[in-house]
Amino acid sequence: MRAHGYAPSLRVRRPIWFRVRLADTLPHVPRSLTTRVSGWYAGFGRLGHFLADMARGLRDVHTWPAQTVAQLLRIGVNSVPIALFVAAFTGVVLALQASYTFTGAVPLYFVGTLVGKTIMLELGPVLTGLVLAGRVGANTAAELGTMRVTEQVDALETLAYDPFAYLVIPRVVASTVMFPVVVALAMAMGVLTGLVTAVNLLDLSTVEFVRGLKLFYQFKDIWFGLVKSMSFGFAIGVVGCMKGLAVRRGAQEVGRATTDAVVLGAKLILVLDAVWAVLLL
Amino acid sequence: MIAFREVYKAFGPNRVLEGLSLEVPDGQTTVILGYSGSGKSVALKHIVGLLEPDRGAVEVDGAAVHELDRDGLAALRSRVGYVFQFAALFDSMTVAGNLALGLRRQRLADREIGERTDEALSLVGLEGTQDLYPAELSGGMRKRVGIARAIALRPRYILYDEPTTGLDPVTASVMNQLMVRTRETLGVTSVVVTHDLKSAYTVGDRIALLYRGVIRQVGTVEQIQRSHDPIVRQFIEGRPEAAADAEQAAAETAP
Ligand SMILES: Nc1ncnc2c1ncn2[C@@H]1O[C@H](COP(=O)(O)OP(=O)(O)OP(=O)(O)O)[C@@H](O)[C@H]1O
Ligand SMILES: [Mg+2]
């Protein structure tokens, strides 16, 4: 068995258990299904190798911390405005819809409860996550894909750098750390616009809104949302880097990698969201 | 020493290297000539482990590159400078940043990095470009920055992938002289991939012609120039009309 260096690690490798050919072992199952399932298998195998390479890259402490700082700033600057924009409008709509739904049957201060709970538990993390899947995921995949095509990743390797330490870890760490920060800001913004809307359009006082907000509030509402967004950030970072580095050549492949990163990132966010709900709620 | 031992490499059905064997003696410059698409860049990438052979091995200092572990490979790579065919500069960094990156990896002090950067840039005739970004440079300038990036490392081996293609004749000569000088002053062992014959004759101690996945002939400049092999003659004379004859001759002389 050949020991693998960096460059081969960027290639598509098949997981060990892939040798069990599903199509051969299960001849009566439709082929389209077996190829799809073994496709997933291969996908998981690649993910496993990718994570293992990342873990190994962590040892290179001379390389990744410095790069991470730059990525943190970049993600922050790129994502905060759009995340706040989305959250602001979400807050407005939630307040109005809450009052519309209650139609006088429920005390109006429950608007505060509904806005707070929904923003903190669900819409803050997930909507922000989906927006950032587009922003950060696409950006990462396109950047690394272009670096592959123009042989910048190869050049990096010939300078004896590990691309995982230099490119991947900083991006994954940065998005894992920055997502909760951005989501926290988005939560604050959403609650704030909900409050402003309630006060100005719904004849609700600030005091009443806050009373509703506090009604069923638990600290868990916040940390649950933030832990979720960390996992979203990790997933988006990994997917963006994987798709980007998998590019071999051509602008077309960069385009495809970018789209794939966004679509897969968005799917993963929804799946992770459900998983967290099952595990922790 | 760098040695190709029966290297086979295919991309799907496209068989590129088919048992390539070649030794690159220390302290010399070996030129690999070959048609466009003959696999010169592919061969070069095997030396630093950017590609792995399907069969056979590339040995550097006695160790097979594809068998090295990560640390071994990193150590090998820090002994080798690589000049990419299309420069492969980091476009998010300035020229100085590009040169500094490899030096920083070798844990040099900032002052030394600055000195080596300036020195390498003046060797390729690009002093004063430190703060420009690759996008602000011409193609030829980028290529020279790529050469400077490799030279600044003061490696034992330098691999040049078409260092003079796309340069004007005068700049090309300057680069040829630079390659000769780095060998003489630093004792660097070089592999130069090119189809620029003038460059090959100027810098080469030995010339090898890569043809159909194997080395067709290897020898000194004089030996190649006096070769009777029709394929070699066709290449160095650049006569397309000889192609048919050569094809036929190749078929007859093939083992
Ligand atoms: N990463 C790759 N994946 C698939 N095919 C490749 C890859 N790299 C090179 N090839 C193929 O290998 C063959 C040789 O390519 P290579 O770049 O080595 O040619 P070359 O001799 O350097 O040509 P040129 O003088 O034009 O640079 C080509 O047919 C090319 O399509
Ligand atoms: Mg080439």
Side-chain angles (χ1 to χ4, degrees):
Chain A
M1 178 89 183
R2 288 172 163 183
H4 286 289
Y6 308 149
S9 72
L10 294 177
R11 280 197 242 134
V12 178
R13 280 177 300 181
R14 296 199 161 170
I16 299 146
W17 62 86
F18 193 75
R19 290 194 203 118
V20 183
R21 297 276 301 274
L22 277 177
D24 300 342
T25 47
L26 303 169
H28 50 280
V29 177
R31 188 150 280 261
S32 63
L33 187 63
T34 55
T35 46
R36 171 171 290 195
V37 170
S38 43
W40 290 340
Y41 256 24
F44 277 116
R46 278 197 295 274
L47 179 64
H49 283 294
F50 195 89
L51 295 178
D53 283 334
M54 257 180 70
R56 231 172 282 130
L58 279 173
R59 281 186 316 171
D60 189 353
V61 292
H62 293 282
T63 302
W64 64 265
Q67 298 303 314
T68 305
V69 175
Q71 295 302 325
L72 284 170
L73 293 175
R74 208 167 89 164
I75 292 184
V77 170
N78 280 338
S79 355
V80 170
I82 179 83
L84 292 183
F85 180 85
V86 171
F89 285 91
T90 313
V92 172
V93 172
L94 275 178
L96 294 176
Q97 283 185 353
S99 96
Y100 169 79
T101 310
F102 297 161
T103 53
V106 178
L108 201 54
Y109 63 82
F110 273 104
V111 168
T113 318
L114 193 119
V115 168
K117 283 277 179 185
T118 320
I119 291 264
M120 285 185 253
L121 285 176
E122 182 63 17
L123 290 185
V126 172
L127 278 187
T128 310
L130 290 176
V131 168
L132 297 202
R135 261 249 128 106
V136 178
N139 197 310
T140 307
E143 187 185 17
L144 296 193
T146 306
M147 287 185 73
R148 283 286 281 170
V149 172
T150 54
E151 296 187 314
Q152 292 178 54
V153 178
D154 286 353
L156 196 62
E157 289 195 68
T158 61
L159 295 176
Y161 281 94
D162 173 0
F164 282 86
Y166 193 86
L167 298 173
V168 175
I169 293 171
R171 283 167 174 76
V172 174
V173 169
S175 66
T176 311
V177 171
M178 278 314 275
F179 264 49
V181 174
V182 177
V183 167
L185 293 174
M187 286 175 180
M189 176 59 109
V191 171
L192 187 71
T193 57
L195 167 69
V196 170
T197 308
V199 170
N200 287 302
L201 300 179
L202 298 178
D203 289 335
L204 198 67
S205 71
T206 306
V207 176
E208 276 181 305
F209 184 90
V210 172
R211 180 171 153 221
L213 194 61
K214 284 179 172 170
L215 195 57
F216 295 109
Y217 169 79
Q218 305 170 18
F219 182 52
K220 184 177 175 184
D221 296 354
I222 288 194
W223 70 251
F224 179 72
L226 295 183
V227 167
K228 270 209 299 206
S229 25
M230 265 180 122
S231 73
F232 297 166
F234 183 79
I236 297 292
V238 168
V239 167
C241 290
M242 261 183 96
K243 291 289 174 190
L245 286 182
V247 168
R248 278 133 181 261
R249 30 192 190 165
Q252 215 178 358
E253 269 191 52
V254 177
R256 180 141 30 89
T258 309
T259 322
D260 285 357
V262 175
V263 173
L264 183 56
K267 282 184 188 163
L268 278 177
I269 284 183
L270 297 176
V271 171
L272 282 171
D273 191 41
V275 170
W276 283 117
V278 170
L279 287 182
L280 285 182
L281 285 187
Chain B
M1 191 177 76
I2 298 170
F4 289 84
R5 309 241 186 255
E6 297 266 321
V7 174
Y8 287 79
K9 180 71 182 177
F11 298 98
N14 179 12
R15 292 189 308 207
V16 180
L17 303 181
E18 299 201 76
L20 172 69
S21 291
L22 178 69
E23 294 199 342
V24 179
D26 278 341
Q28 291 194 6
T29 299
T30 300
V31 173
I32 301 178
L33 289 175
Y35 290 98
S36 193
S38 58
K40 304 184 296 296
S41 300
V42 167
L44 220 49
K45 283 181 182 167
H46 279 80
I47 300 174
V48 286
L50 289 174
L51 292 173
E52 251 182 32
D54 297 336
R55 250 190 308 144
V58 178
E59 289 172 9
V60 179
D61 299 331
V65 176
H66 68 259
E67 281 170 357
L68 293 172
D69 59 16
R70 293 187 157 235
D71 296 337
L73 194 59
L76 160 71
R77 284 171 173 172
S78 55
R79 276 178 279 144
V80 181
Y82 197 113
V83 178
F84 282 83
Q85 184 168 358
F86 304 105
L89 301 182
F90 305 111
D91 48 24
S92 62
M93 292 177 206
T94 61
V95 168
N98 267 276
L99 270 68
L101 192 64
L103 298 171
R104 225 176 289 130
R105 181 70 179 165
Q106 301 185 351
R107 310 272 158 70
L108 297 181
D110 285 347
R111 209 170 55 87
E112 168 133 40
I113 292 178
E115 282 168 10
R116 285 227 212 161
T117 303
D118 296 347
E119 183 199 54
L121 284 176
S122 73
L123 280 174
V124 297
L126 288 177
E127 46 281 90
T129 57
Q130 275 86 342
D131 296 329
L132 298 181
Y133 281 87
E136 299 172 287
L137 304 176
S138 76
M141 289 164 90
R142 269 180 236 161
K143 189 142 232 176
R144 285 185 280 158
V145 173
I147 295 174
R149 184 168 70 183
I151 289 180
L153 299 167
R154 302 202 182 141
R156 245 179 80 191
Y157 301 101
I158 305 187
L159 315 177
Y160 299 92
D161 198 343
E162 309 205 1
T164 55
T165 314
L167 300 183
D168 64 80
V170 175
T171 312
S173 293
V174 173
M175 289 307 111
N176 287 337
Q177 283 160 20
L178 177 62
M179 285 187 271
V180 171
R181 221 171 338 128
T182 48
R183 186 204 56 197
E184 283 169 356
T185 57
L186 300 174
V188 176
T189 306
S190 304
V191 181
V192 180
V193 156
T194 189
H195 24 56
D196 173 354
L197 287 171
K198 184 157 171 270
S199 171
Y201 295 154
T202 313
V203 305
D205 295 304
R206 291 186 340 136
I207 296 181
L209 179 71
L210 176 60
Y211 184 78
R212 298 210 169 155
V214 295
I215 296 299
R216 180 78 188 187
Q217 188 181 356
V218 50
T220 61
V221 174
E222 294 75 37
Q223 282 169 342
I224 292 292
Q225 283 173 337
R226 281 192 269 104
S227 170
H228 295 298
D229 183 327
I231 299 287
V232 177
R233 292 235 63 80
Q234 184 204 341
F235 189 89
I236 62 179
E237 287 165 14
R239 292 181 298 126
E241 72 276 10
D245 311 349
E247 274 297 274
Q248 206 182 349
E252 281 159 16
T253 54

